[in-house]
Amino acid sequence: MDMDKIRQLQEIIDGSDNIVFFGGAGVSTESGIPDFRSQDGLYHMKYKYPPETIISHSFFMRKPEEFYRFYKDKMLALDAQPNAAHRKLAELEKAGKLKAVITQNIDGLHQKAGSREVMELHGSVLRNYCTRCGEFYDAEYVKNSDSVPKCAKCGGMVKPDVVLYEEGLDNNIMSKSVSYIRSADVLIIGGTSLVVYPAAGLIDYFRGSRLVLINKGATARDAGADLVITDPIGEVFSQIRVS
């Protein structure tokens, strides 16, 4: 680990009380949740259908049994625990330095670590609703159901509150995310290769003084960053002190 870069990150964090964090799948991989695009990610696993097909809206409607077989097996990691990155971000928010976490993840680990202002761009596996009457169900209800979870009130099919392929992002969450990024002094982007749009385009709204990228692989935005760190994000944040 490049300790000189860790020192630079510490100085940037110490010098600001208007930080926004934008994170992707790499934030949760250290908690044992697989990402999609790494060599061990979901795109490289062998199923009857490609993962990007299975987690689309049309496939969910057409073949809900196959959708839920994959979803319960690979996307419901209810025993996962927050790692050092999740915990440190929660500490920074509590200390009044971090204004918001904007995440592409659907696992709820930021909230589990104690973060309060979390913009979930792609929804959450922890929220599930009947497609017919809107009744709420938790993730355990879905996990423990036989095949396709059905509503106990009306018998309708229950759907996770996650953004599937072919579905649009929530306009309110996008608007709030843009507002946070536009007004931030420091934007820290971690655990994302910045290739999934429209979420990746949020960086274009940043007008602040320091842009930090923390990702194990290179991103298309590295050249425009003030600091680029290519170590695992949990290991990086474990070195940061919150004063």
Side-chain angles (χ1 to χ4, degrees):
M1 186 176 294
D2 189 331
M3 295 311 294
D4 183 57
K5 290 193 172 185
I6 299 296
R7 179 186 57 77
Q8 292 178 57
L9 176 60
Q10 183 74 62
E11 289 177 357
I12 290 171
I13 290 173
D14 287 346
S16 177
D17 60 359
N18 186 9
I19 303 169
V20 169
F21 178 81
F22 174 64
V27 178
S28 291
T29 52
E30 289 169 80
S31 294
I33 295 177
D35 68 1
F36 275 65
R37 290 174 172 78
S38 71
Q39 196 56 43
D40 300 320
L42 298 181
Y43 279 172
H44 295 272
M45 296 178 180
K46 303 302 181 187
Y47 285 88
K48 189 175 178 182
Y49 302 92
E52 63 266 36
T53 297
I54 296 174
I55 54 175
S56 67
H57 177 83
S58 55
F59 190 92
F60 171 79
M61 299 303 294
R62 194 171 67 250
K63 294 181 178 290
E65 297 86 359
E66 191 72 21
F67 170 89
Y68 269 112
R69 190 173 72 84
F70 176 87
Y71 179 82
K72 292 179 189 180
D73 188 31
K74 296 300 177 187
M75 298 181 71
L76 275 185
L78 302 186
D79 294 329
Q81 296 300 316
N83 61 53
H86 298 106
R87 293 193 296 271
K88 195 68 66 173
L89 289 165
E91 284 183 50
L92 287 167
E93 183 186 29
K94 189 174 182 181
K97 300 185 75 63
L98 183 80
K99 299 305 181 188
V101 168
I102 301 166
T103 181
Q104 294 173 288
N105 296 333
I106 58 175
D107 49 49
L109 290 181
H110 285 293
Q111 292 94 327
K112 205 172 195 178
S115 289
R116 294 179 177 274
E117 190 66 5
V118 182
M119 305 292 106
E120 294 175 310
L121 296 175
H122 296 156
S124 173
V125 299
L126 304 182
R127 300 186 299 268
N128 305 270
Y129 298 95
C130 174
T131 55
R132 186 181 299 164
C133 74
E135 183 74 7
F136 170 84
Y137 292 94
D138 62 19
E140 285 77 12
Y141 184 88
V142 170
K143 182 105 176 162
N144 296 328
S145 65
D146 292 329
S147 186
V148 179
K150 295 294 178 64
C151 177
K153 286 181 67 176
C154 75
M157 184 165 60
V158 174
K159 180 184 181 295
D161 187 18
V162 301
V163 179
L164 303 178
Y165 286 107
E166 304 165 353
E167 295 178 345
L169 302 187
D170 183 282
N171 287 333
N172 185 48
I173 298 233
M174 278 293 284
S175 178
K176 288 177 74 174
S177 299
V178 167
S179 179
Y180 274 121
I181 289 175
R182 183 180 277 142
S183 61
D185 175 48
V186 172
L187 177 61
I188 302 175
I189 298 177
T192 173
S193 53
L194 293 172
V195 297
V196 177
Y197 282 81
L202 288 171
I203 187 175
D204 295 327
Y205 293 97
F206 181 58
R207 300 290 183 267
S209 61
R210 292 288 186 272
L211 174 63
V212 179
L213 294 180
I214 308 171
N215 194 54
K216 289 197 290 186
T219 81
R221 303 299 188 108
D222 286 3
D226 297 283
L227 178 62
V228 176
I229 301 176
T230 55
D231 294 304
I233 191 166
E235 294 180 18
V236 171
F237 272 109
S238 68
Q239 302 295 316
I240 296 301
R241 303 179 312 278
V242 179
S243 56

